Amino acid sequence: MVRVGLIGFGLAGQAFHAPVIRGVTGMELACILERRGTRAREKYPDVRVVRSLEELLADKEIQLCVIATPNDSHFELARACLLAGRDVVVDKPFAPTLAESEELVRLAADRGRLITVYQDRRWDGDFQTVKKIVESGRLGTVVEYECRFDRISREQACCLIWDRM
């Protein structure tokens, strides 16, 4: 079982990361860092909620840190987690600069840790265009939608199937 610490309980942490972590077999949402408010405690009363990164990292059983915080905090949080011996998933953007990104990758390699980026495609222009067309009703009723990002050609391919009836 991989014990996960979720850093940040804003929109991304609340709407995506926490439910996905809870839904993945072999993962346990063990701790949530929510600096203010009580949403995490209300929604996940069985999960430990802390107010600081130091409290989260003090739990030596947490193996993976998922960072879902404002963009300007990604580098420092990821660096601290790696230095504490944790694997890391960072919401995009990975870090503000290429130099900081390279530093995180080197640090992960030096420490024998994994680091990766979560890329949420829902805000991309092409996805927003497809969404707007579907919501307009011009296609009729959409009965199936498949979308994938081809990491080799860097092209996104989408397929809509709709019922014009």
Side-chain angles (χ1 to χ4, degrees):
M1 179 70 64
V2 176
R3 291 178 49 86
V4 181
L6 175 59
I7 302 171
F9 202 67
L11 179 60
Q14 203 174 147
F16 182 79
H17 293 291
V20 167
I21 294 164
R22 292 282 285 236
V24 173
T25 302
M27 295 184 100
E28 175 191 353
L29 182 58
C31 187
I32 299 172
L33 167 52
E34 181 182 35
R35 293 193 192 274
R36 293 177 295 280
T38 60
R39 291 175 297 173
R41 277 192 181 94
E42 292 164 6
K43 192 158 187 167
Y44 299 101
D46 59 321
V47 175
R48 190 166 72 95
V49 177
V50 298
R51 298 293 188 193
S52 73
L53 182 62
E54 293 74 26
E55 285 179 271
L56 185 142
L57 294 176
D59 183 342
K60 300 299 182 195
E61 293 186 8
I62 291 178
Q63 301 153 282
L64 171 65
C65 293
V66 175
I67 300 173
T69 59
N71 298 345
D72 61 355
S73 65
H74 291 179
F75 172 75
E76 288 301 329
L77 291 169
R79 185 175 181 280
C81 292
L82 290 168
L83 287 171
R86 304 317 197 284
D87 295 324
V88 180
V89 173
V90 185
D91 244 1
K92 79 158 184 125
F94 187 54
T97 67
L98 176 60
E100 289 174 334
S101 298
E102 289 173 338
E103 182 178 335
L104 291 174
V105 170
R106 270 192 308 275
L107 181 59
D110 291 347
R111 301 256 171 176
R113 306 310 322 164
L114 300 174
I115 188 163
T116 192
V117 181
Y118 170 73
Q119 174 82 23
D120 185 349
R121 308 298 303 181
R122 75 179 185 265
W123 303 116
D124 290 352
D126 53 350
F127 182 82
Q128 289 296 310
T129 300
V130 170
K131 182 179 176 196
K132 189 175 184 180
I133 291 169
V134 169
E135 288 174 346
S136 76
R138 290 187 291 186
L139 293 177
T141 303
V142 174
V143 294
E144 186 176 330
Y145 171 75
E146 177 185 327
C147 186
R148 67 183 181 280
F149 182 74
D150 186 325
R151 63 186 164 88
I152 296 167
S153 69
R154 302 217 184 283
E155 293 178 4
Q156 190 168 7
C158 295
C159 174
L160 284 173
I161 299 172
W162 63 93
D163 180 1
R164 288 296 238 171
M165 306 296 275

